[in-house]
Amino acid sequence: EPTALVLTGTGGVFAPGVYDGVVATAVRIEGSGAHSVTVTGGAAFDNLLSATAIEANAYGVYIGANANVPSILERKSFVVSSVSETAQTAYGFFIASGATAPSINNSGSITAQLFGEIGNATAIVDNSNTLASITNSGTLIAQITQTDSDPNDSIPPPAITGTATAIDVSASSINVTLNQNATSPFTDDD
């Protein structure tokens, strides 16, 4: 079973969707079948991370089944976007069922944005029932922006029916602690 001591993203990571219907994922950590992946020292993201999808879901960081990431640090900027007229979602952090990710610490900026009306935007979602601690001293933004395929036709765009959610732990049955702290900017002085 693969084991990594630490996953550190110090360079920029970009996943630009160029084709309709293709999911965009900047970083994916997931096991395969009966094999698991453990990132013993956790994952740290210290630079820009961006994922953009067209008519598909977009993920900043996807922690999938059979992945164990004991801590996640986000210290710079995530921007995850989906441009869609269908029910798609932009996810900052997505922790899937079967994953283990007990802690997220954000001192940067996580932005999940949907350009459309019926999809969703979620900065952090836990479907694993393992996320026990979220510490935020940065910014969490989930937003939906209406789009108009013809801004010159004097017909307003449809109403927004999707949801924008900063933190979704609705699938959790464990106690989740949210610590909201004063802003503490990350400086890489070493």
Side-chain angles (χ1 to χ4, degrees), residues 126 129-134 167 169 172-178:
D126 174 37
N129 200 33
T130 65
L131 182 60
S133 173
I134 301 168
I167 300 170
V169 291
S172 184
S173 65
I174 64 171
N175 292 326
V176 179
T177 301
L178 173 61

Side-chain angles (χ1 to χ4, degrees), residues 66-154:
N66 298 322
N68 181 3
V69 183
S71 66
I72 300 169
L73 301 175
E74 201 309 282
R75 298 186 281 209
K76 284 292 182 176
S77 179
F78 274 32
V79 179
V80 181
S81 305
S82 180
V83 180
S84 182
E85 295 302 318
T86 61
Q88 305 299 328
T89 302
Y91 298 101
F93 282 101
F94 184 91
I95 305 169
S97 176
T100 302
S103 170
I104 291 179
N105 185 331
N106 174 49
S107 60
S109 170
I110 301 170
T111 302
Q113 53 194 1
L114 175 86
F115 295 94
E117 294 80 31
I118 62 173
N120 304 302
T122 305
I124 298 171
V125 64
D126 174 37
N127 289 330
S128 71
N129 200 33
T130 65
L131 182 60
S133 173
I134 301 168
T135 301
N136 183 48
S137 58
T139 305
L140 297 174
I141 299 170
Q143 63 189 14
I144 299 174
T145 303
Q146 286 177 309
T147 56
D148 191 343
S149 60
D150 185 357
N152 298 317
D153 66 4
S154 299

Side-chain angles (χ1 to χ4, degrees), residues 9-15 26-27 46-50 77:
T10 55
V13 178
F14 305 95
V27 174
D46 294 334
N47 208 326
L48 178 63
L49 185 143
S50 173
S77 179

